[in-house]
């Protein structure tokens, strides 16, 4: 509620003046944030890009450094569902604050749980909603991405980081282990030795080392990070959403299959693109030397 009040106050100030083009953009973002705040308590949701074809989700628990409580993860799933069903949105950007992408799972929620409660209740199972998203998701990571925060970033398809970002799996320091992919996705991203070192020591790595290890695609100044992620998302969203989803599925499948099986799968998906209107349009536009007009069919 406090966030909504602040946004309404800012809207009022802008309207009382003669807003410039930039201020009008700020006004629109404030309005969207105000609407989002009324619907969600732990995240902010809006559309970005010139064509409003990028969904932006910002984790918004600043006092808890965006600790991933159950309510936040459920809201994240709801927002992803809405963007998944929005025909205008072709890519999603997930971010936090400049101080923390997400400092981890909410320890206060987990502290009193028992084995029977976690095992019988399928604790953390619904977190995988992010990894199963058909539309690509770019994580824009500023500040801390620790424990569950690092795992959530790894569920995304691309990770961009701010120069001051820190990644880590410190669960070992709490007498437990990663439970949302830290022991599985991290070795696939950076190799066994480095992943084992991070998981067994609880030590963090910085953005430069994360990029060097292959966990992060690119590193940007903190203030430029989200805009850079949105720019990449706009480029992805300009392509056929159908073909993008097929390409994403093929890349993800490479982690589950042998090379021979993966090549077979890729070939079948490649063949399947020839049944789509967008494949024909893309190749025809190339031959005719004009921009393609994809219809997601």
């Amino acid at each position: 509620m406090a966030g909504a009040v602040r946004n309404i106050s800012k809207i009022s100030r802008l309207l009382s003046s003669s807003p410039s083009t930039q201020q009008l953009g700020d006004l629109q973002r404030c309005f969207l944030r105000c609407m989002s705040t009324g619907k969600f308590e732990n995240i902010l949701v809006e559309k970005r890009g010139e064509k409003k074809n990028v969904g932006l989700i910002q984790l918004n628990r600043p006092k808890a450094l965006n600790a991933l409580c159950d309510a936040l993860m459920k809201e994240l799933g709801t927002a992803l569902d809405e963007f998944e069903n929005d025909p205008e949105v072709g890519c999603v950007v997930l971010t936090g604050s400049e101080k923390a992408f997400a400092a981890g799972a909410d320890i206060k929620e987990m502290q009193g749980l028992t084995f029977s409660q976690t095992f019988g209740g399928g604790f953390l199972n619904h977190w995988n909603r992010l990894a199963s998203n058909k539309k690509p998701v770019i994580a824009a990571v500023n500040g801390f991405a620790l424990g569950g925060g690092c795992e959530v970033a790894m569920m995304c398809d691309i990770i961009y980081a701010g120069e001051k970002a820190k990644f880590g799996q410190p669960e070992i320091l709490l007498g437990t282990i990663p439970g949302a992919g830290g022991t599985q996705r991290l070795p696939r991203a950076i190799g066994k030795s480095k992943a084992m070192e991070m998981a067994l020591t609880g030590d963090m790595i910085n953005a430069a080392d994360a990029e060097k290890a292959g966990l992060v695609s690119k590193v940007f100044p903190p203030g430029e990070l989200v805009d850079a992620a949105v720019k990449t998302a706009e480029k992805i969203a300009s392509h056929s959403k159908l073909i993008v989803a097929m390409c994403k599925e093929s890349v993800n499948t490479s982690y589950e299959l042998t090379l021979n099986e993966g090549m077979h799968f890729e070939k079948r998906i490649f063949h399947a693109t020839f049944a789509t209107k967008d494949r024909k349009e893309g190749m025809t536009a190339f031959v005719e030397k004009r921009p393609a007009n994809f219809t997601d069919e």
Side-chain angles (χ1 to χ4, degrees), residues 4-290:
V5 171
R6 285 194 297 271
N7 283 319
I8 291 171
S9 177
K10 187 172 183 180
I11 291 171
S12 298
R13 290 198 303 272
L14 286 171
L15 287 175
S16 64
S17 62
S18 298
S20 63
T21 301
Q22 181 178 351
Q23 286 176 321
L24 285 172
D26 290 340
L27 178 63
Q28 183 183 44
R29 281 191 286 274
C30 279
F31 177 76
L32 288 171
R33 282 173 178 267
C34 185
M35 296 297 289
S36 172
T37 304
K39 183 174 183 178
F40 298 111
E41 294 183 3
N42 302 287
I43 62 174
L44 299 172
V45 179
E46 62 180 286
K47 290 184 182 181
R48 287 282 189 93
E50 290 184 8
K51 297 181 179 179
K52 301 300 176 187
N53 56 1
V54 174
L56 177 67
I57 303 174
Q58 181 180 0
L59 307 182
N60 188 41
R61 295 188 71 205
K63 292 182 179 179
L65 294 179
N66 292 331
L68 303 170
C69 63
D70 189 62
L72 183 151
M73 294 306 294
K74 287 179 178 176
E75 288 182 4
L76 176 58
T78 298
L80 289 169
D81 287 342
E82 292 180 359
F83 283 140
E84 195 87 288
N85 294 322
D86 189 333
E88 294 180 352
V89 173
C91 191
V92 177
V93 172
L94 177 65
T95 191
S97 66
E98 286 200 13
K99 190 172 184 179
F101 174 74
D106 195 321
I107 305 302
K108 292 180 181 178
E109 282 192 345
M110 295 190 292
Q111 183 182 6
L113 295 179
T114 65
F115 167 74
S116 61
Q117 288 174 319
T118 56
F119 183 80
F123 186 55
L124 300 186
N125 283 355
H126 63 291
W127 282 37
N128 205 50
R129 170 64 188 85
L130 180 59
S132 64
N133 207 59
K134 283 188 177 181
K135 295 178 180 179
V137 182
I138 301 174
V141 178
N142 267 322
F144 295 108
L146 306 178
C150 186
E151 290 170 315
V152 162
M154 290 190 291
M155 292 178 196
C156 299
D157 302 296
I158 299 171
I159 303 177
Y160 283 176
E163 292 170 338
K164 297 180 181 180
K166 300 282 188 181
F167 298 84
Q169 297 291 162
E171 288 87 349
I172 200 76
L173 306 177
L174 302 175
T176 187
I177 72 169
T183 66
Q184 301 302 303
R185 290 190 176 94
L186 193 59
R188 287 167 168 79
I190 66 176
K192 176 186 174 181
S193 181
K194 192 68 177 177
M196 193 72 82
E197 180 184 42
M198 289 178 65
L200 295 183
T201 65
D203 291 344
M204 297 182 289
I205 61 172
N206 61 30
D209 287 340
E211 182 183 25
K212 183 179 179 181
L215 179 62
V216 165
S217 297
K218 294 178 181 177
V219 177
F220 299 90
E224 300 175 13
L225 175 65
V226 173
D227 287 341
V230 169
K231 184 176 181 180
T232 297
E234 285 186 279
K235 186 172 186 178
I236 293 171
S238 71
H239 305 316
S240 163
K241 297 179 186 64
L242 175 62
I243 302 302
V244 165
M246 295 169 77
C247 186
K248 172 178 172 172
E249 182 180 1
S250 188
V251 173
N252 282 336
T253 300
S254 71
Y255 287 93
E256 310 296 334
L257 304 176
T258 65
L259 178 60
N260 189 54
E261 291 169 333
M263 291 297 296
H264 179 76
F265 181 85
E266 177 190 76
K267 201 72 69 183
R268 289 294 174 260
I269 296 295
F270 168 69
H271 292 158
T273 66
F274 282 75
T276 69
K277 293 180 181 179
D278 282 346
R279 191 282 314 168
K280 184 175 182 179
E281 166 61 14
M283 291 188 176
T284 300
F286 177 83
V287 171
E288 296 178 354
K289 298 181 180 180
R290 61 171 175 81

